[in-house]
């Protein structure tokens, strides 16, 4: 069951209260879109994130700094769990086939912490060569559905 | 007598003669290489017992750290020797027990020393000197990386002060001034300067990590170089498995600065204790997707 879509004003307000160090840009009430930038430091390194969202589309998350490192020949690919293009990848944080995200959900409580999850797994992938965060790539069979607690 | 263990550890045992009318357990040990008598043979003052007491007094139990590590290493903590005996049993080999940050930092500095001097045939900075600085600089409830930096800086400061006036580092047992810990190392100013250079590398690397400006792969390579490939790879693998499972089971959360919080874990390679901050959000289940390229 998909709830009522969250307005862009509600998303901006939730982001401001939950992630006060993130800044909202380009808030467009007509288009119901906005962009946020800010830093997170989940584990080893500080990252600048860029989140773009328009109600009706999936959020797009980019890591602006530092540049993402590729591991050519790795079993998970040179850079796992992202969407192309290769020179401007966006993080792929949920499985569209598993109904894990819809427009009623707050980016502050889903997209942004999921991006932090991605970074934690990415950092250990760089160190160990193994992606330990689970997930699947396009073409792999869907994983069993998991409910939120 | 030197006992050699199968795992290449060794234990030196020497009889001590108690010195009358001195502090508890002050003794003399025989300094003689043997088997023939030499003009260098002599009795040397020592009081390892008083030093151990001094160390324990300066590095008291830190409950939060101890509890955190106790989850990882259970069935430990019987290292206190019987205090009624003149001869203390050497504790059985046990799981690694951590009572405070200074002692954990000391273990890391000793490991760093062992790796740096692995191919070295001469004398190396003695553990007792490193222990002295760990206890001297100990402050409770510091982050592990900060404690390692602090100990390294205190050693470095004294080496640089000695080198500046062309002297060798002098460290004695604070409970027995004639028990000189630096009687065999350093043998020269150049030898202590070499260790100072290694310490600077350690400090610079840890400070860069603390600033969070090093890339994760560079951190991995640096840690392997400093603390050894096998142990760092093993620690990174087990931490990655634990955090990956926490993420998949939605046990993680993040602070308002986007700092990972996972209940009940030594959180990362850079910090032994998770910061006590309120989470910004609770975890919601999700599955990574995307393409391989």
């Amino acid at each position: 069951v998909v709830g009522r879509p969250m307005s862009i004003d509600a998303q901006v307000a939730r982001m401001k209260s939950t992630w006060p160090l993130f800044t909202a840009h380009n808030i467009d009430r007509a288009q119901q879109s906005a962009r946020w930038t800010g830093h997170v430091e989940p584990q080893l390194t500080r990252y600048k994130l860029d989140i773009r969202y328009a109600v009706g589309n999936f959020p797009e998350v980019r890591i602006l700094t530092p540049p993402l490192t590729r591991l050519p020949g790795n079993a998970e690919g040179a850079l796992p769990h992202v969407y192309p293009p290769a020179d401007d990848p966006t993080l792929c944080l949920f499985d569209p086939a598993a109904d894990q995200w819809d427009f009623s959900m707050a980016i502050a409580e889903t997209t942004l912490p999921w991006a932090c999850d991605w970074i934690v797994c990415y950092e250990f992938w760089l160190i160990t060569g193994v992606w330990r965060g689970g997930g699947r790539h396009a073409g792999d069979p869907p994983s069993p559905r998991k409910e939120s607690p | 007598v030197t006992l050699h263990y199968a795992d290449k550890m060794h234990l030196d045992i020497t009889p001590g003669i108690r010195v009358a009318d001195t502090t508890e357990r002050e003794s003399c040990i025989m300094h003689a290489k043997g088997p023939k008598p030499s003009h260098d043979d002599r009795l040397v003052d020592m009081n390892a017992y008083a030093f151990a007491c001094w160390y324990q007094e300066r590095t008291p139990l830190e409950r939060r750290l101890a509890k955190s590590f106790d989850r990882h290493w259970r069935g430990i903590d019987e290292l206190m020797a019987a205090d009624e005996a003149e001869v203390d049993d050497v504790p059985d080999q046990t799981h690694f027990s951590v009572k405070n940050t200074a002692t954990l930092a000391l273990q890391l500095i000793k490991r760093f020393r062992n790796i740096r001097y692995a191919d070295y045939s001469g004398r190396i900075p003695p553990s007792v000197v490193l222990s002295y600085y760990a206890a001297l600089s100990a402050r409770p409830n510091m982050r592990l990386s900060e404690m390692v930096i602090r100990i390294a800086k205190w050693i470095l400061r004294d080496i640089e002060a000695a080198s500046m006036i062309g002297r060798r580092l002098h460290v004695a047992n604070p409970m027995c001034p004639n028990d000189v810990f630096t009687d065999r190392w350093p043998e020269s100013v150049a030898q202590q300067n070499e260790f100072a250079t290694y310490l600077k590398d350690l400090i610079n690397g840890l400070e860069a990590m603390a600033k969070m400006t090093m890339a994760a792969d560079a951190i991995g390579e640096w840690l392997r170089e400093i603390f050894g490939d096998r142990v760092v790879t093993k620690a990174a693998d087990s931490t990655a498995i634990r955090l990956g499972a926490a993420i998949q089971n939605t046990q993680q959360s993040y602070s308002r600065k986007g700092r990972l919080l996972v209940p009940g874990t030594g959180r990362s390679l850079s910090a032994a204790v998770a910061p006590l901050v309120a989470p910004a959000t609770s975890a919601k289940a999700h599955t990574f997707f995307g393409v391989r390229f």
Side-chain angles (χ1 to χ4, degrees):
Chain A
V1 177
V2 177
R4 191 176 162 197
M6 229 176 142
S7 71
I8 204 66
D9 281 338
Q11 292 282 10
V12 169
R14 191 72 68 89
M15 276 292 286
K16 192 174 178 183
S17 63
T18 312
W19 300 94
L21 301 180
F22 271 69
T23 307
H25 313 268
N26 313 111
I27 302 168
D28 186 333
R29 290 181 180 85
Q31 297 292 320
Q32 285 290 291
S33 64
R35 178 178 168 235
W36 295 268
T37 56
H39 289 91
V40 291
E41 40 193 52
Q43 176 97 308
L44 301 175
T45 307
R46 194 160 193 251
Y47 296 83
K48 185 172 187 183
L49 300 185
D50 176 299
I51 302 172
R52 297 173 193 201
Y53 177 61
V55 177
N57 295 308
F58 288 155
E60 283 184 5
V61 183
R62 289 177 175 79
I63 293 181
L64 301 181
T65 58
L68 293 173
T69 301
R70 271 71 168 171
L71 297 182
N74 185 272
E76 295 280 350
L79 187 62
H81 300 293
V82 289
Y83 285 127
D87 59 353
D88 181 28
T90 48
L91 311 187
C92 190
L93 304 171
F94 62 90
D95 187 343
D99 294 333
Q100 292 167 335
W101 194 86
D102 64 61
F103 309 121
S104 69
M105 294 178 176
I107 286 171
E109 289 159 14
T110 53
T111 307
L112 214 162
W114 292 351
C116 293
D117 287 347
W118 188 94
I119 289 169
V120 172
C121 297
Y122 161 77
E123 287 185 337
F124 277 105
W125 172 74
L126 286 181
I127 294 172
T128 67
V130 181
W131 180 271
R132 296 288 185 184
R136 72 181 181 103
H137 286 108
D140 296 345
S143 50
R145 189 168 166 167
K146 209 181 233 182
E147 299 296 333
S148 290
Chain B
V1 177
T2 300
L3 287 180
H4 293 276
Y5 290 87
D7 61 1
K8 294 184 180 171
M9 295 291 287
H10 76 269
L11 177 68
D12 292 324
I13 303 171
T14 184
I17 303 167
R18 287 287 305 272
V19 180
D21 302 325
T22 57
T23 53
E24 177 67 15
R25 309 283 181 102
E26 187 162 335
S27 313
C28 284
I29 56 172
M30 271 61 77
H31 179 281
K33 286 194 173 174
K36 290 180 180 172
S38 148
H39 67 278
D40 195 34
D41 293 352
R42 62 188 189 276
L43 293 172
V44 176
D45 265 355
M46 61 83 75
N47 196 336
Y49 172 81
F51 178 69
C53 294
W54 175 83
Y55 182 94
Q56 285 178 359
E57 230 171 68
R58 296 188 65 91
T59 58
L61 176 71
E62 292 167 29
R63 291 192 185 282
R64 190 158 63 94
L65 180 82
K67 202 173 164 187
S68 169
F69 275 88
D70 192 46
R71 291 192 194 99
H72 298 282
W73 293 283
R74 294 188 184 278
I76 52 176
D77 219 19
E78 295 298 327
L79 293 176
M80 296 300 287
D83 60 4
E84 71 276 11
E86 280 282 346
V87 178
D88 297 331
D89 289 336
V90 174
D92 291 335
Q93 285 272 316
T94 65
H95 294 289
F96 183 45
S97 167
V98 177
K99 298 229 168 48
N100 50 62
T101 313
T103 302
L104 184 57
L106 171 64
Q107 299 291 341
L108 282 176
I109 289 178
K110 283 163 72 173
R111 171 141 202 101
F112 156 77
R113 183 246 354 234
N114 293 346
I115 296 293
R116 270 287 166 271
Y117 289 89
D119 300 321
Y120 194 79
S121 56
R123 293 201 176 277
I124 66 172
S127 295
V128 70
V129 170
L130 305 180
S131 304
Y132 166 79
Y133 280 103
L136 200 64
S137 62
R139 263 174 54 181
N141 299 316
M142 287 182 83
R143 285 170 65 108
L144 175 60
S145 55
E146 289 170 351
M147 194 66 234
V148 173
I149 291 171
R150 185 174 163 87
I151 297 170
K153 281 186 171 174
W154 282 48
I155 302 171
L156 184 61
R157 183 195 60 191
D158 281 3
I159 289 178
E160 286 180 339
S163 294
M164 201 178 288
I165 53 173
R167 289 195 179 159
R168 291 188 292 123
L169 178 70
H170 177 87
V171 175
N173 185 337
M175 306 304 292
C176 179
N178 291 333
D179 184 3
V180 178
F181 294 159
T182 45
D183 57 344
R184 297 184 180 188
W185 182 98
E187 294 161 315
S188 65
V189 170
Q191 206 176 41
Q192 70 194 21
N193 287 344
E194 182 183 34
F195 187 48
T197 304
Y198 295 152
L199 289 172
K200 281 181 197 163
D201 290 344
L202 177 67
I203 293 165
N204 291 341
L206 288 174
E207 287 184 337
M209 276 179 68
K211 285 180 193 158
M212 307 198 84
T213 52
M214 272 173 93
D217 47 340
I219 289 174
E221 278 175 33
W222 183 79
L223 286 172
R224 285 184 174 107
E225 186 193 321
I226 292 291
F227 295 116
D229 186 20
R230 188 180 56 82
V231 70
V232 171
T233 298
K234 194 176 169 190
D237 282 341
S238 67
T239 308
I241 290 167
R242 199 169 65 244
L243 293 182
I247 285 170
Q248 292 189 61
N249 294 314
T250 62
Q251 292 166 331
Q252 85 290 19
S253 57
Y254 293 91
S255 74
R256 284 166 183 259
K257 287 178 80 175
R259 198 108 178 98
L260 175 65
L261 306 170
V262 181
T265 64
R267 193 181 47 81
S268 72
L269 292 169
S270 59
V273 182
L276 295 173
V277 291
T281 63
S282 301
K284 284 188 168 54
H286 68 116
T287 315
F288 294 112
F289 189 60
V291 297
R292 287 188 178 89
F293 59 70

